Amino acid sequence: QVPLVESGGGSVQAGGSLRLACTSVLYTFSRACMTWFRQQPEKEREKVATIYTSDGSTSYADSVKGRFTISQDNSKKVFNLQMDSLKPEDTAMYYCAAVGVRENSCNTLTERFYDHWGQGTQVTVSS
């Protein structure tokens, strides 16, 4: 069973908004780094936004600061990515991923440290 399930992707025109959701099917992530990654064709996967589930602190890639917002619900099993002012360059497959941690080391963790992944949801922004 896939531990994380993404939803909310789709097609939108530039300047529009989408809200992605990541639902944890198996676990409650009470102390974890939950991150949204994205991957464009023929490019490496990049970190977009991260939330440290213990205290809700967040971090963002420079390319999305001020436009994207990551959040979690009280159950710590649903994580959202609100994407506003979308641009064609935001077009990508978006994945959520999680890793349990003892303290907030989220900014130091690269993709290979994440051990729970979803299958991805496609976001397409047209100009």
Side-chain angles (χ1 to χ4, degrees):
Q1 193 171 12
V2 178
L4 301 175
V5 179
E6 301 99 337
S7 62
S11 297
V12 65
Q13 288 191 327
S17 299
L18 284 173
R19 185 176 179 87
L20 305 183
C22 173
T23 301
S24 174
V25 178
L26 300 177
Y27 309 112
T28 298
F29 291 101
S30 57
R31 187 174 293 177
C33 301
M34 169 62 71
T35 295
W36 284 95
F37 291 86
R38 68 185 181 188
Q39 187 166 25
Q40 298 166 329
E42 301 181 358
K43 291 188 177 181
E44 293 187 354
R45 198 173 296 181
E46 64 171 335
K47 188 183 286 190
V48 174
T50 298
I51 188 166
Y52 176 51
T53 63
S54 180
D55 63 12
S57 56
T58 59
S59 61
Y60 298 91
D62 288 342
S63 59
V64 306
K65 277 182 183 176
R67 300 188 298 121
F68 289 13
T69 304
I70 189 170
S71 62
Q72 61 182 351
D73 75 354
N74 290 335
S75 71
K76 298 187 179 180
K77 299 189 73 172
V78 180
F79 305 89
N80 300 302
L81 184 68
Q82 177 67 39
M83 305 186 295
D84 299 318
S85 303
L86 282 161
K87 304 175 181 180
E89 51 264 43
D90 294 319
T91 295
M93 184 70 79
Y94 283 72
Y95 300 88
C96 63
V99 58
V101 294
R102 295 181 180 179
E103 58 186 13
N104 188 356
S105 55
C106 299
N107 288 341
T108 67
L109 298 181
T110 57
E111 175 185 348
R112 67 186 181 92
F113 287 97
Y114 286 77
D115 52 5
H116 302 285
W117 287 86
Q119 293 182 314
T121 185
Q122 177 68 36
V123 171
T124 303
V125 184
S126 58
S127 57

